[in-house]
């Protein structure tokens, strides 16, 4: 009986290791090499905050309100494919993940660009680039799930100097400067899928799709976070907190799973609402999918093909 028990334990361990290997095979890879973009000194919150605020301003201060279990666009701003300047902005973000995208790539949204935006923010703000070897701070990628996976791997393997710390959003309240990440499309993106040695058997084998924003302001009831490709622009999201200070899920929109704390040096101060920003008193309803422009203002008779989602985007 004792021999049988040891054989069973060994069998479970082997299954767990196979699951971990499955995750590594699908997510490890080499991190992207940004085009025309080099780290600018030491990563700091001031640089991240300033870059986030500048891009939010460029897109017209769009605000998305998730309080009350709903999603409302309270300030429209620029749309990714309806303004040639916005197209150029998104192309800048794509270069941060080594993608030489053209304007049609943006206008037809062949790939979601929210992770490219976050990668651009951190690379431009001084994060050293990981090359797939567990060293460095940030792994530029066009998928949020991938760069968070690299952060979690470093957290498991490195005994000191851990660049980013990954926490379970169900138990840790986000602070100003944190990345907050939600699951998308009922994928296996979850804290347990990253940091448990054998992963979660119920989610193994499914792709991981996520969305992350950066918290720039917080009060007792909500956090305000800026991210890309939110309602087709760079937008500030208002996300409610429960009495414990934890992120509240918004049905159909955001299912929060992970909080990531970057290694910022020095004080972390909240972003103030900038001069020139005014709340829109006529909020509009959010949309899940919108027909993209790609019309003769850019190229005559151009048509967009339906986008096929990629694993781990």
């Amino acid at each position: 009986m004792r021999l049988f028990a040891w054989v069973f334990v060994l069998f479970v361990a082997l299954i767990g290791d196979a699951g971990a290997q499955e995750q590594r095979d699908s997510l490890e890879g080499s991190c992207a090499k940004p085009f025309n973009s080099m780290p600018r000194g030491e990563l700091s919150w001031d640089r991240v905050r300033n870059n986030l605020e500048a891009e939010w301003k460029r897109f017209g201060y769009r605000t998305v309100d998730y309080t009350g279990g709903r999603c409302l666009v309270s300030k429209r701003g620029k749309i990714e494919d309806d303004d040639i300047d916005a197209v150029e902005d998104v192309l800048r973000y794509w270069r941060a993940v080594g993608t030489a995208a053209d304007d049609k790539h943006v206008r037809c949204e062949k790939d979601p660009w929210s992770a490219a935006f976050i990668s651009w923010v951190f690379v431009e703000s001084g994060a050293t680039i990981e090359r797939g070897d567990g060293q460095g701070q940030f792994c530029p990628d066009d998928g949020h799930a991938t760069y968070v996976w690299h952060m979690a791997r470093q957290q498991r393997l490195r005994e000191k100097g851990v660049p980013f710390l990954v926490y379970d959003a169900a138990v840790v309240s986000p602070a100003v400067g944190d990345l907050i990440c939600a699951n998308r499309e009922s994928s296996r993106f979850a804290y347990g899928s990253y940091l448990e040695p054998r992963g979660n058997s119920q989610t193994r084998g499914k792709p991981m799709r996520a969305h992350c924003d950066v918290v720039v302001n917080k009060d007792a009831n909500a956090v305000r976070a800026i991210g890309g490709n939110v309602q087709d622009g760079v937008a500030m999201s208002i996300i409610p907190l429960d009495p414990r200070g934890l992120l509240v899920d918004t049905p159909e929109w955001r299912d929060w799973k992970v909080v990531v704390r970057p290694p910022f040096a020095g004080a972390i101060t909240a972003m103030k609402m900038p001069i020139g920003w005014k709340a829109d008193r006529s909020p509009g309803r959010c949309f899940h999918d919108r027909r993209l422009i790609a019309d003769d203002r850019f190229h005559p008779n151009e048509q967009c093909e339906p986008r096929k989602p990629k694993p781990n985007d």
Side-chain angles (χ1 to χ4, degrees):
M1 179 65 67
R2 182 175 300 177
L3 177 61
F4 173 79
W6 277 107
V7 170
F8 178 77
V9 169
L10 178 61
F11 175 73
V12 171
L14 289 173
I15 292 177
D17 288 343
Q21 183 64 47
E22 176 184 71
Q23 293 176 22
R24 286 194 293 271
D25 290 344
S26 62
L27 291 173
E28 188 160 4
S30 295
C31 301
K33 182 178 180 180
F35 291 161
N36 303 322
S37 183
M38 294 298 293
R40 289 160 171 77
E42 185 179 24
L43 176 65
S44 74
W45 167 241
D46 286 348
R47 292 191 182 96
V48 169
R49 185 190 60 221
N50 291 343
N51 280 323
L52 288 168
E53 183 174 345
E55 299 307 301
W56 183 42
K57 178 180 179 180
R58 290 176 68 88
F59 273 80
Y61 294 133
R62 176 181 291 109
T63 306
V64 181
D65 188 347
Y66 293 109
T67 61
R70 58 189 180 183
C71 179
L72 298 175
V73 180
S74 59
K75 197 166 186 64
R76 179 63 68 178
K78 292 195 298 186
I79 298 293
E80 61 185 14
D81 60 321
D82 197 23
D83 185 293
I84 197 163
D85 291 335
V87 171
E88 292 300 321
D89 291 332
V90 176
L91 289 175
R92 281 191 293 118
Y93 311 146
W94 276 119
R95 287 193 285 271
V97 294
T99 299
D102 58 17
D103 51 2
K104 182 177 179 180
H105 190 99
V106 174
R107 294 192 312 279
C108 290
E109 196 178 8
K110 294 183 178 180
D111 298 293
W113 53 272
S114 56
F117 173 76
I118 294 294
S119 297
W120 178 88
V121 167
F122 278 90
V123 170
E124 288 293 308
S125 300
T128 57
I129 299 170
E130 183 184 338
R131 297 302 184 192
D133 58 359
Q135 303 302 311
Q137 293 177 308
F138 193 91
C139 176
D141 198 88
D142 62 359
H144 299 277
T146 300
Y147 69 67
V148 174
W149 185 90
H150 281 258
M151 295 169 183
R153 179 181 66 167
Q154 291 194 39
Q155 184 172 334
R156 289 197 307 270
L157 299 180
R158 296 175 65 171
E159 296 180 357
K160 61 180 180 180
V162 175
F164 289 78
L165 295 176
V166 182
Y167 299 104
D168 187 348
V171 297
V172 172
S173 177
V176 172
D178 288 353
L179 282 157
I180 53 175
C181 303
N183 186 27
R184 288 200 302 113
E185 301 170 9
S186 301
S187 79
R188 67 186 176 105
F189 179 81
Y191 175 80
S193 298
Y194 281 117
L195 295 185
E196 294 298 329
R198 299 188 177 96
N200 185 332
S201 61
Q202 294 181 347
T203 61
R204 189 176 301 140
K206 298 179 181 179
M208 286 203 269
R209 300 190 178 99
H211 175 84
C212 300
D213 300 313
V214 183
V215 177
V216 296
N217 202 303
K218 179 181 180 180
D219 59 32
N221 300 313
V223 295
R224 291 166 178 80
I226 294 177
N229 202 19
V230 178
Q231 295 297 292
D232 284 349
V234 175
M236 174 182 285
S237 295
I238 304 171
I239 301 125
L241 298 172
D242 70 13
R244 299 168 296 171
L246 302 178
L247 295 165
V248 175
D249 292 338
T250 305
E252 298 185 44
W253 297 100
R254 292 288 186 256
D255 180 13
W256 302 105
K257 297 296 185 183
V258 167
V259 173
V260 179
R261 190 147 296 162
F264 296 128
I268 298 177
T269 57
M271 192 188 85
K272 297 180 180 179
M273 288 298 183
I275 297 174
W277 179 88
K278 293 182 179 179
D280 189 334
R281 295 184 178 180
S282 302
R285 296 184 64 181
C286 299
F287 51 82
H288 282 285
D289 295 295
R290 182 182 60 83
R291 187 173 183 273
L292 298 175
I293 303 297
D295 66 1
D296 56 8
R297 280 174 290 174
F298 297 100
H299 295 287
N301 303 319
E302 185 174 75
Q303 298 294 324
C304 291
E305 299 175 358
R307 183 179 73 83
K308 297 180 180 180
K310 297 190 307 180
N312 310 316
D313 66 358

